[in-house]
PDB file of all heavy atoms in Angstrom:
ATOM      1  N   ASN A  18      87.034  91.306 118.782  1.00 98.00           N
ATOM      2  CA  ASN A  18      87.119  90.560 117.524  1.00 98.00           C
ATOM      3  C   ASN A  18      86.485  91.430 116.429  1.00 98.00           C
ATOM      4  O   ASN A  18      85.275  91.683 116.467  1.00 98.00           O
ATOM      5  CB  ASN A  18      86.355  89.242 117.679  1.00 98.00           C
ATOM      6  CG  ASN A  18      86.311  88.448 116.385  1.00 98.00           C
ATOM      7  OD1 ASN A  18      86.650  88.963 115.315  1.00 98.00           O
ATOM      8  ND2 ASN A  18      85.890  87.189 116.481  1.00 98.00           N
ATOM      9  N   PRO A  19      87.263  91.905 115.470  1.00 98.00           N
ATOM     10  CA  PRO A  19      86.698  92.830 114.482  1.00 98.00           C
ATOM     11  C   PRO A  19      85.666  92.186 113.558  1.00 98.00           C
ATOM     12  O   PRO A  19      84.916  92.899 112.897  1.00 98.00           O
ATOM     13  CB  PRO A  19      87.930  93.303 113.696  1.00 98.00           C
ATOM     14  CG  PRO A  19      88.974  92.274 113.930  1.00 98.00           C
ATOM     15  CD  PRO A  19      88.707  91.669 115.261  1.00 98.00           C
ATOM     16  N   PHE A  25      86.159  89.668 123.152  1.00 98.00           N
ATOM     17  CA  PHE A  25      86.243  88.213 123.348  1.00 98.00           C
ATOM     18  C   PHE A  25      87.320  87.842 124.362  1.00 98.00           C
ATOM     19  O   PHE A  25      87.483  86.680 124.718  1.00 98.00           O
ATOM     20  CB  PHE A  25      86.516  87.492 122.020  1.00 98.00           C
ATOM     21  CG  PHE A  25      87.925  87.692 121.508  1.00 98.00           C
ATOM     22  CD1 PHE A  25      88.902  86.728 121.717  1.00 98.00           C
ATOM     23  CD2 PHE A  25      88.264  88.843 120.815  1.00 98.00           C
ATOM     24  CE1 PHE A  25      90.191  86.911 121.244  1.00 98.00           C
ATOM     25  CE2 PHE A  25      89.561  89.039 120.352  1.00 98.00           C
ATOM     26  CZ  PHE A  25      90.522  88.087 120.568  1.00 98.00           C
ATOM     27  N   GLN A  77      95.922  81.476 115.061  1.00 98.00           N
ATOM     28  CA  GLN A  77      94.512  81.513 115.499  1.00 98.00           C
ATOM     29  C   GLN A  77      94.252  82.773 116.319  1.00 98.00           C
ATOM     30  O   GLN A  77      93.261  83.489 116.108  1.00 98.00           O
ATOM     31  CB  GLN A  77      94.185  80.295 116.385  1.00 98.00           C
ATOM     32  CG  GLN A  77      94.398  78.936 115.742  1.00 98.00           C
ATOM     33  CD  GLN A  77      93.286  78.570 114.786  1.00 98.00           C
ATOM     34  OE1 GLN A  77      92.122  78.784 115.096  1.00 98.00           O
ATOM     35  NE2 GLN A  77      93.639  78.032 113.640  1.00 98.00           N
ATOM     36  N   VAL A  78      95.157  83.060 117.247  1.00 98.00           N
ATOM     37  CA  VAL A  78      95.001  84.251 118.100  1.00 98.00           C
ATOM     38  C   VAL A  78      95.072  85.508 117.241  1.00 98.00           C
ATOM     39  O   VAL A  78      94.278  86.448 117.411  1.00 98.00           O
ATOM     40  CB  VAL A  78      96.113  84.286 119.186  1.00 98.00           C
ATOM     41  CG1 VAL A  78      95.941  85.509 120.081  1.00 98.00           C
ATOM     42  CG2 VAL A  78      96.109  83.019 120.011  1.00 98.00           C
ATOM     43  N   LEU A  79      96.017  85.497 116.309  1.00 98.00           N
ATOM     44  CA  LEU A  79      96.207  86.673 115.459  1.00 98.00           C
ATOM     45  C   LEU A  79      94.945  86.962 114.647  1.00 98.00           C
ATOM     46  O   LEU A  79      94.497  88.115 114.557  1.00 98.00           O
ATOM     47  CB  LEU A  79      97.411  86.398 114.537  1.00 98.00           C
ATOM     48  CG  LEU A  79      97.988  87.555 113.758  1.00 98.00           C
ATOM     49  CD1 LEU A  79      98.293  88.740 114.651  1.00 98.00           C
ATOM     50  CD2 LEU A  79      99.276  87.104 113.044  1.00 98.00           C
ATOM     51  N   THR A  80      94.347  85.945 114.076  1.00 98.00           N
ATOM     52  CA  THR A  80      93.139  86.164 113.279  1.00 98.00           C
ATOM     53  C   THR A  80      91.968  86.604 114.154  1.00 98.00           C
ATOM     54  O   THR A  80      91.194  87.482 113.761  1.00 98.00           O
ATOM     55  CB  THR A  80      92.802  84.901 112.460  1.00 98.00           C
ATOM     56  OG1 THR A  80      93.794  84.784 111.440  1.00 98.00           O
ATOM     57  CG2 THR A  80      91.429  84.971 111.819  1.00 98.00           C
ATOM     58  N   LEU A  81      91.871  86.041 115.360  1.00 98.00           N
ATOM     59  CA  LEU A  81      90.782  86.460 116.256  1.00 98.00           C
ATOM     60  C   LEU A  81      90.847  87.950 116.556  1.00 98.00           C
ATOM     61  O   LEU A  81      89.828  88.641 116.569  1.00 98.00           O
ATOM     62  CB  LEU A  81      90.878  85.690 117.583  1.00 98.00           C
ATOM     63  CG  LEU A  81      90.056  84.427 117.712  1.00 98.00           C
ATOM     64  CD1 LEU A  81      90.384  83.735 119.032  1.00 98.00           C
ATOM     65  CD2 LEU A  81      88.550  84.750 117.666  1.00 98.00           C
ATOM     66  N   GLU A  82      92.050  88.446 116.807  1.00 98.00           N
ATOM     67  CA  GLU A  82      92.138  89.858 117.214  1.00 98.00           C
ATOM     68  C   GLU A  82      92.365  90.803 116.037  1.00 98.00           C
ATOM     69  O   GLU A  82      91.982  91.961 116.088  1.00 98.00           O
ATOM     70  CB  GLU A  82      93.243  90.056 118.258  1.00 98.00           C
ATOM     71  CG  GLU A  82      94.656  89.790 117.759  1.00 98.00           C
ATOM     72  CD  GLU A  82      95.725  90.018 118.828  1.00 98.00           C
ATOM     73  OE1 GLU A  82      95.401  90.452 119.941  1.00 98.00           O
ATOM     74  OE2 GLU A  82      96.909  89.751 118.519  1.00 98.00           O
ATOM     75  N   GLN A  83      92.994  90.294 114.953  1.00 98.00           N
ATOM     76  CA  GLN A  83      93.352  91.186 113.842  1.00 98.00           C
ATOM     77  C   GLN A  83      92.329  91.113 112.725  1.00 98.00           C
ATOM     78  O   GLN A  83      92.113  92.097 112.026  1.00 98.00           O
ATOM     79  CB  GLN A  83      94.756  90.815 113.325  1.00 98.00           C
ATOM     80  CG  GLN A  83      95.522  91.952 112.663  1.00 98.00           C
ATOM     81  CD  GLN A  83      95.082  92.197 111.223  1.00 98.00           C
ATOM     82  OE1 GLN A  83      94.495  91.333 110.585  1.00 98.00           O
ATOM     83  NE2 GLN A  83      95.360  93.399 110.733  1.00 98.00           N
ATOM     84  N   PHE A 302      88.103  83.077 109.630  1.00 98.00           N
ATOM     85  CA  PHE A 302      88.174  81.633 109.882  1.00 98.00           C
ATOM     86  C   PHE A 302      87.409  80.822 108.831  1.00 98.00           C
ATOM     87  O   PHE A 302      87.424  79.600 108.872  1.00 98.00           O
ATOM     88  CB  PHE A 302      87.653  81.306 111.292  1.00 98.00           C
ATOM     89  CG  PHE A 302      88.627  81.717 112.361  1.00 98.00           C
ATOM     90  CD1 PHE A 302      88.417  82.865 113.116  1.00 98.00           C
ATOM     91  CD2 PHE A 302      89.781  80.975 112.594  1.00 98.00           C
ATOM     92  CE1 PHE A 302      89.320  83.262 114.076  1.00 98.00           C
ATOM     93  CE2 PHE A 302      90.701  81.355 113.560  1.00 98.00           C
ATOM     94  CZ  PHE A 302      90.471  82.507 114.307  1.00 98.00           C
TER      95      PHE A 302
END
Side-chain angles (χ1 to χ4, degrees):
N18 176 348
F25 72 99
Q77 301 283 317
V78 181
L79 192 51
T80 289
L81 266 174
E82 65 179 356
Q83 207 280 340
F302 286 103

